[in-house]
Amino acid sequence: TNGLVYDPNITLTAATDATIKAVAIKKDMVDSIVTSAEYVINIAAGCDISMASPQAAGMVFTGRLRALDAQGNVIAAGVRTLVISSTLDGLQFYKDSSCAEPVTAYTLASGVCDIYCKGLKAGSGKITVADENGKTASAYITITPAAAARLALSTQPAQNATAGAIFTRQPVVEAQDAYGNVVKTAEITVAAKIKTGAGELLGFTTAGTGANGGAKFTDLKYNIAQDITIEFTAAGLTPVESERISVAPAAAAKLAMVTQPSELAVAAVA
C-alpha cells in the first residue's frame, strides 16, 4: 500500500531479543530510501519448573527453574525473578543446600536456577512459580514419611478402669518418623507392659502395625486397684508411655478374713 510492502509471516525463534529494520522506498527506485525505522522485539517471557517426585520427609531435594520464550528456548539475557510458593504444608524453599536461609523468590541471572527444598510433613501438593509478567508454571510434589523413629499413641487407653475388666477404650499405637508422620510401609511389633504399678498387664500384650500404621490392642486389663501407666516399645524405636489410668476395685464378690479370731479363748470373756 502506498508503495510499501511487508511480510506478515516474519517470526522469531531465537532465544534473544531482536531488532527489525523497516525501510520504505519509492516505487521503481530501488536505491532511493524514503524513510526507515527500527523496531525492538522483546521475546515474550515465560518460565517452567522441574523436579523429581516423591521425596522423603526431612531430606533436601533440588529442582530447576528456567526462564523461557514462547518457543521453549531458555532466555539467558537479562535478570529475571521468579516468585515461588507451594500448597503443601511445611514445604520450605532455601537459597542453597545448607538450608540456612529460607527464600520466597529466586533470581535467574542466566535463565536457569537451581532451587533447594525440604518438606517435613508427608503429603502431596503443587509448587508454583510466577515471573514478573504474571506467567506461571507448576509442578506437583509428594513428600513421603522418613524411616520410623518413634512410637506415639493415637488413641490413649481409658483413663478409668475396673480391676479385672477389659479397658473400655483400648490403645492404638502408631509408628512415626522423626517429624511426626505415620509410617505405613513397615510391619512393626509393639509390646505393652506396666510402667508404673505393682502388677502385671493382662491380655494380648503385643500388636502389629497394619496398613494404616497403627497397632491396635484389643483386650488389655489389670487386676489391682491402683493408678498405673503403660509403656509401649518396639525394637529400634523410641518408646511411648500412656497417660495415668485409675483402676478401681471391682464389685464385691466374696468375703475375706482381714483379721482371724484368736485361737485360744476363755468362756464368757470377750
Side-chain angles (χ1 to χ4, degrees):
T1 304
N2 298 324
L4 299 177
V5 295
Y6 67 95
D7 185 349
N9 299 312
I10 293 176
T11 60
L12 297 174
T13 58
T16 58
D17 293 343
T19 300
I20 296 178
K21 185 174 183 179
V23 178
I25 60 175
K26 288 183 179 180
K27 187 177 181 180
D28 299 328
M29 296 179 63
V30 175
D31 295 328
S32 179
I33 297 177
V34 176
T35 185
S36 67
E38 291 186 352
Y39 300 91
V40 177
I41 308 300
N42 294 313
I43 301 298
C47 55
D48 77 352
I49 177 173
S50 60
M51 61 179 52
S53 178
Q55 299 287 343
M59 298 297 292
V60 180
F61 61 96
T62 62
R64 174 156 290 191
L65 304 181
R66 300 189 302 167
L68 303 175
D69 65 15
Q71 282 71 43
N73 300 299
V74 174
I75 304 175
V79 176
R80 288 178 167 84
T81 298
L82 301 182
V83 176
I84 192 165
S85 61
S86 175
T87 61
L88 184 57
D89 186 24
L91 184 64
Q92 182 65 63
F93 307 100
Y94 296 93
K95 181 179 180 181
D96 54 41
S97 59
S98 70
C99 296
E101 184 179 344
V103 297
T104 57
Y106 288 91
T107 299
L108 284 66
S110 58
V112 177
C113 178
D114 288 333
I115 65 174
Y116 300 87
C117 322
K118 182 167 69 174
L120 302 182
K121 188 173 181 179
S124 298
K126 183 171 69 172
I127 298 174
T128 301
V129 291
D131 67 12
E132 60 270 29
N133 299 313
K135 295 184 178 181
T136 63
S138 298
Y140 289 88
I141 184 70
T142 295
I143 302 296
T144 59
R150 67 191 186 194
L151 297 178
L153 275 158
S154 59
T155 302
Q156 289 278 347
Q159 289 185 313
N160 296 290
T162 301
I166 294 173
F167 299 155
T168 56
R169 185 175 65 242
Q170 294 288 312
V172 179
V173 182
E174 292 178 340
Q176 296 182 349
D177 65 13
Y179 312 103
N181 301 301
V182 179
V183 179
K184 302 178 181 181
T185 57
E187 179 72 21
I188 297 171
T189 299
V190 179
K193 64 179 181 180
I194 293 298
K195 175 73 171 179
T196 303
E200 182 180 354
L201 187 64
L202 303 175
F204 288 100
T205 56
T206 60
T209 57
N212 64 351
K216 298 180 179 180
F217 293 84
T218 59
D219 63 348
L220 297 182
K221 59 184 179 180
Y222 190 72
N223 278 350
I224 303 174
Q226 61 181 180
D227 289 349
I228 63 171
T229 61
I230 302 174
E231 183 180 51
F232 300 89
T233 61
L237 305 184
T238 302
V240 64
E241 186 176 349
S242 75
E243 297 175 353
R244 186 182 65 179
I245 304 169
S246 295
V247 182
K254 62 183 181 181
L255 297 177
M257 294 291 294
V258 178
T259 303
Q260 291 284 344
S262 174
E263 293 182 0
L264 297 176
V266 178
V269 177

